[in-house]
Amino acid sequence: MIVDTHCHLDDHRYDEDLETVLQRAREKGVKRFIIPGADPRTLERAVEIAQKHEDVYFAVGVHPYDMEHYDREYLESFVDHPKCVAIGECGLDYYRLPEDPSEAEAEKVRQKEVFVDQIEWAKALKKPLIVHIREASADSLALLEEHAGEEGGVLHCYNADATLLKLAKRNFYYGIGGVLTFKNARKLVNVFPQIPQEKLLIETDAPYLTPHPFRGKRNEPAYCTYVAEKMCELSGLSREQMETLTTTNVQRLFSI
Ligand code: NI
């Protein structure tokens, strides 16, 4: 079995056909799903999906793009739910900072505050983190090294920055998604063998980052199989070994 450790099933792009999307995934062997909490405005939807489906779990947090909606008190009302397995998706994203240097600096400061608050919160709750890092490796590494608890977490791996591999020793895992299948994914393909196998997870980030050969279309958890195939090709593991490995990793990190 495969676990999609990062799929935004609360996204409005699944409003029409979520049941079919889940069914297609299950038929491909994708049997558990984790919805990261990115935008608090759809958190209730995530909880509703997790309550309806035994195989769906969720996390509570705020993505850097949605940080103006960060309200810790509101989020706290969801963390005791039995299906809440992590804090995040939180992190740093310097990809689209304002052009004005002082505005950009202020944005970075604010992102770091919101990120640290969520790291500390996860530590207090003894829950793992789901971390998004884009063009912000050095700052993210510094903050995680300083603040993260023993529970660690998972990093989205599309930046493929080898410096972040240091965090494996701090119990961080690496979520491998569709980017690995892209024709121009040389960076991630090169970093991939350096990731300790006991720290590999599979994710889609659906509806984003659709793997080859569907790149450009809406992504969905069933496409985990394309990621798994590529991981097998690069590691020499059989499909069965890869599924056992990554599912064991999921169970260790998220206790599901
Ligand atoms: Ni995401």
Side-chain angles (χ1 to χ4, degrees):
M1 116 173 154
I2 295 178
V3 182
D4 188 347
T5 57
H6 195 121
C7 47
H8 297 276
L9 300 175
D10 54 338
D11 190 281
H12 67 90
R13 273 163 278 190
Y14 302 110
D15 284 353
E16 300 296 315
D17 64 346
L18 179 66
E19 301 299 319
T20 328
V21 165
L22 287 170
Q23 208 42 45
R24 264 201 297 270
R26 291 173 187 131
E27 279 160 20
K28 294 279 181 195
V30 184
K31 306 271 191 187
R32 298 231 199 300
F33 311 85
I34 298 175
I35 309 176
D39 181 347
R41 291 168 298 177
T42 56
L43 185 53
E44 283 186 19
R45 173 75 181 137
V47 176
E48 185 192 315
I49 299 166
Q51 280 181 175
K52 187 167 174 201
H53 300 276
E54 208 190 326
D55 50 5
V56 179
Y57 300 81
F58 71 94
V60 170
V62 176
H63 188 285
Y65 286 171
D66 295 299
M67 66 178 177
E68 79 261 32
H69 304 289
Y70 187 62
D71 175 353
R72 171 94 169 248
E73 210 178 309
Y74 174 71
L75 297 177
E76 270 172 2
S77 62
F78 295 89
V79 292
D80 292 328
H81 192 289
K83 303 291 282 291
C84 172
V85 295
I87 297 300
E89 162 174 19
C90 55
L92 301 177
D93 191 317
Y94 298 165
Y95 179 64
R96 41 179 213 205
L97 288 176
E99 265 175 49
D100 176 87
S102 65
E103 276 176 42
E105 202 41 52
E107 159 87 16
K108 283 183 176 181
V109 168
R110 179 75 185 128
Q111 281 196 21
K112 286 190 245 184
E113 277 171 13
V114 173
F115 185 30
V116 168
D117 198 63
Q118 292 177 88
I119 303 172
E120 291 287 352
W121 186 27
K123 182 162 61 181
L125 293 171
K126 299 193 185 303
K127 281 194 188 296
L129 283 162
I130 296 175
V131 183
H132 168 103
I133 300 170
R134 194 172 186 190
E135 298 190 6
S137 295
D139 283 357
S140 303
L141 182 64
L143 294 180
L144 287 168
E145 283 187 323
E146 188 183 344
H147 298 277
E150 286 168 17
E151 288 71 26
V154 53
L155 313 179
H156 256 326
C157 226
Y158 48 70
N159 255 6
D161 192 327
T163 60
L164 295 171
L165 294 176
K166 269 192 187 171
L167 289 166
K169 288 199 199 72
R170 298 286 304 265
N171 206 27
F172 277 86
Y173 289 65
Y174 299 84
I176 308 296
V179 171
L180 192 70
T181 69
F182 294 175
K183 298 249 182 268
N184 55 357
R186 225 163 279 138
K187 227 173 132 193
L188 182 53
V189 167
N190 289 336
V191 169
F192 180 79
Q194 300 171 47
I195 303 173
Q197 290 192 342
E198 73 278 4
K199 291 289 188 290
L200 286 175
L201 299 178
I202 298 175
E203 63 173 42
T204 55
D205 203 20
Y208 312 103
L209 296 170
T210 313
H212 176 77
F214 300 109
R215 197 174 175 183
K217 305 224 171 69
R218 182 188 72 169
N219 199 0
E220 59 175 70
Y223 298 163
C224 274
T225 53
Y226 295 94
V227 179
E229 278 307 312
K230 189 72 188 180
M231 289 166 77
C232 289
E233 189 191 311
L234 294 173
S235 65
L237 295 187
S238 70
R239 179 64 176 272
E240 199 187 329
Q241 289 171 319
M242 185 55 77
E243 293 194 12
T244 305
L245 171 75
T246 52
T247 300
T248 308
N249 293 347
V250 168
Q251 287 163 344
R252 199 185 312 115
L253 179 63
F254 293 112
S255 313
I256 57 170

